[in-house]
Amino acid sequence: MDTEKERLGIYGGTFSPIHSGHVKAAYAFLDTMALDRLLVIPTAIPPHKAPVEGASAADRIEMARLAFCDGEAYKSGRLVVSDYETTLEGKSYTVYTLEHFASPECELYLLVGTDMFLTLDRWYRAEEIFRLADIVLMRRERDAVNFPLIRQKSAEYRERFNARIHEIDEPPIVVSSTELRKRLCGRCGIDGLIPEAVVRYIEENDLYR
Ligand code: ATP
């Protein structure tokens, strides 16, 4: 670790909507990796996903801000919700974002959940992603079912890409945006899995109906 350099975290996602699992992962990332700054970056059109109906990019940015704005990290500027990818034309590739924020003055850390971690080697210009950033895994499931695959993939990434991999040792909140969109659409309860201010924003703007 180079103590002179800024430790800059990148947390990208569709965040449609942002949920408590994302919020917990972001704070665990800040603390575990002792980040100087964390950029939460809603993606424009995720390369690996079909576009999500129900909320615009501006809505997803606003919901992300609402999810964090009461926290000290946001108030102090240590956690920033960035519109970098949503203001770009076309698809947002993680490697472009890393290239944009990379500099000799900082060390980049990229946070991913289990699903993203297991497919990282198939991302556009994967080798460059591993070169530019340390990969930080926050598991999103509580059972051990993915352990063998995670071990296998970690070994493969180290071997093939010289990857620098860290794992956050905190229990996740098991939830997905897909499940929450279904519940919101069916007007079912969301059991505190979305921050209050985000729930209000969804209601006021009639999202995901
Ligand atoms: P969807 O259900 O629409 O695919 P999602 O819940 O997976 O959405 P994304 O916005 O796609 O949410 O996720 C952004 C990042 O956050 C990804 O790296 C994903 O693995 C991670 N992530 C998602 N949910 C959790 C969770 N509950 N705990 C930890 N990480 C999570």
Side-chain angles (χ1 to χ4, degrees):
M1 188 197 308
D2 188 334
T3 47
E4 301 291 300
K5 294 192 178 186
E6 181 189 28
R7 295 167 67 80
L8 178 59
I10 305 280
Y11 186 25
T14 320
F15 303 127
S16 189
I18 193 156
H19 54 62
S20 309
H22 295 131
V23 173
K24 172 148 193 194
Y27 285 128
F29 186 30
L30 261 180
D31 290 347
T32 306
M33 301 311 297
L35 299 176
D36 296 304
R37 207 154 48 102
L38 168 58
L39 305 180
V40 175
I41 310 182
T43 56
I45 308 164
H48 56 283
K49 281 187 178 180
V52 174
E53 303 289 333
S56 67
D59 289 327
R60 292 183 293 112
I61 295 273
E62 189 53 28
M63 288 189 282
R65 289 203 174 115
L66 288 168
F68 294 109
C69 67
D70 283 343
E72 279 312 310
Y74 186 93
K75 289 180 191 161
S76 68
R78 193 174 160 222
L79 186 157
V80 174
V81 174
S82 163
D83 64 2
Y84 172 70
E85 289 195 6
T86 50
T87 53
L88 290 177
E89 296 282 313
K91 290 189 174 184
S92 37
Y93 285 104
T94 299
V95 70
Y96 293 157
T97 302
L98 296 177
E99 282 173 341
H100 175 80
F101 289 105
S103 86
E105 288 79 43
C106 78
E107 286 172 352
L108 290 180
Y109 295 85
L110 178 68
L111 178 66
V112 288
T114 316
D115 49 332
M116 298 291 121
F117 181 78
L118 295 177
T119 59
L120 260 177
D121 52 337
R122 299 204 299 271
W123 289 17
Y124 179 59
R125 290 175 55 205
E127 192 170 355
E128 197 59 11
I129 294 178
F130 286 107
R131 195 185 66 77
L132 287 166
D134 284 35
I135 306 299
V136 182
L137 166 65
M138 167 93 186
R139 291 196 313 117
R140 54 183 297 179
E141 67 287 330
R142 276 178 184 255
D143 55 41
V145 67
N146 283 315
F147 272 177
L149 209 49
I150 290 172
R151 293 286 84 78
Q152 182 194 319
K153 279 290 185 184
S154 298
E156 181 191 325
Y157 296 162
R158 289 193 172 104
E159 172 78 23
R160 272 180 70 197
F161 303 112
N162 235 340
R164 304 170 301 281
I165 297 169
H166 313 260
E167 207 169 319
I168 294 177
D169 188 18
E170 278 208 35
I173 298 174
V174 180
V175 57
S176 77
S177 296
T178 303
E179 171 64 22
L180 292 170
R181 285 195 303 276
K182 278 192 209 143
R183 291 205 207 175
L184 289 163
C185 183
R187 295 183 190 267
C188 301
I190 35 97
D191 300 334
L193 291 170
I194 301 180
E196 279 297 321
V198 178
V199 174
R200 276 198 298 280
Y201 183 89
I202 291 171
E203 286 170 356
E204 281 162 16
N205 293 277
D206 208 21
L207 305 181
Y208 307 112
R209 294 304 187 200

